Amino acid sequence: MNICILSGSARENNNTIRVAKAIQQHLSAHTVSLIDFEAYDIPLINQGGISTDNMSAFQQSLYDAMHEAHLVFLISPEYNWSTTPEILNFLHRFGDKPFAGVFNEKVFALVGVSTGKGGKTPALNLTSILNKIISFLNLSSVVSPKIFESHYTKEVLDENGLSRGNSAYDKGLHDFIAYSLHVAERWKK
């Protein structure tokens, strides 16, 4: 199965990439593309357009990875009680007819990341936005109902996404990934 992991924080040394790497390690039996938003360069609406014929290296890798994926893990830090401006702008810019293929025939699995106890709000906000894109563009995709909240991320994962030994966190992440794969396998049939 082709899987795309979107690490949606543009900050250097962010916690989101830790979670992305942890998920990637669980998926060694699959073809996985990890897109790190630290290289993000999608212009805002008033900064010019983007087109499928003239994309930057980051935009092209994002487009290709999502287009090929059956399952997309979208990971967002909790940013002012929502998701990041980069993710919102990406969804606004790519959530249009020329880019509809990157949202079609997919299962979206959502993760919210926090330095403390939190992460639910960005995942819930993204559920709403992705469902709107799927509905508006009349696509055949699904947003998985199970979300994962990565609490106290630095305390449970190192910078390479390796577990620091919190068994409850490890089990929760494992169960979330297994559930997401199960939904994607059923959806793909």
Side-chain angles (χ1 to χ4, degrees):
M1 180 182 315
N2 286 327
I3 299 170
C4 175
I5 303 171
L6 303 179
S7 178
S9 176
R11 289 185 178 169
E12 192 174 322
N13 299 319
N14 63 74
N15 291 325
T16 307
I17 194 67
R18 292 174 186 236
V19 179
K21 289 176 180 178
I23 291 171
Q24 185 179 31
Q25 291 167 15
H26 281 80
L27 300 171
S28 59
H30 302 276
T31 302
V32 179
S33 298
L34 173 58
I35 305 298
D36 186 351
F37 272 42
E38 195 173 322
Y40 182 90
D41 66 357
I42 299 172
L44 296 171
I45 298 277
N46 65 343
Q47 295 175 326
I50 56 172
S51 105
T52 56
D53 298 327
N54 187 25
M55 291 192 277
S56 70
F58 171 80
Q59 294 163 17
Q60 190 68 57
S61 65
L62 174 61
Y63 178 89
D64 292 343
M66 285 189 70
H67 195 270
E68 295 299 318
H70 302 105
L71 172 59
V72 177
F73 286 95
L74 179 51
I75 308 166
S76 175
E78 193 165 61
Y79 182 85
N80 292 334
W81 307 283
S82 186
T83 187
T84 65
E86 292 83 8
I87 290 176
L88 290 174
N89 188 54
F90 148 66
L91 292 172
H92 288 289
R93 300 310 303 268
F94 274 58
D96 203 359
K97 289 179 186 172
F99 298 96
V102 302
F103 294 97
N104 197 28
E105 298 291 328
K106 314 282 179 229
V107 170
F108 292 93
L110 306 175
V111 178
V113 178
S114 179
T115 56
K117 188 165 179 147
K120 185 175 189 174
T121 304
L124 293 176
N125 290 345
L126 289 171
T127 297
S128 193
I129 295 167
L130 286 166
N131 277 321
K132 180 63 176 176
I133 291 170
I134 292 164
S135 176
F136 178 75
L137 295 175
N138 198 30
L139 302 175
S140 180
S141 291
V142 65
V143 179
S144 177
K146 187 174 185 80
I147 63 173
F148 183 72
E149 299 171 51
S150 181
H151 303 299
Y152 302 103
T153 304
K154 279 188 178 178
E155 285 81 18
V156 295
L157 297 173
D158 72 13
E159 60 278 353
N160 297 310
L162 297 173
S163 172
R164 294 187 189 265
N166 183 310
S167 59
Y169 182 94
D170 296 343
K171 180 179 181 338
L173 183 61
H174 177 270
D175 291 350
F176 167 75
I177 293 167
Y179 181 91
S180 301
L181 286 168
H182 179 72
V183 172
E185 286 165 0
R186 292 194 65 180
W187 187 258
K188 189 178 167 213
K189 287 183 184 180

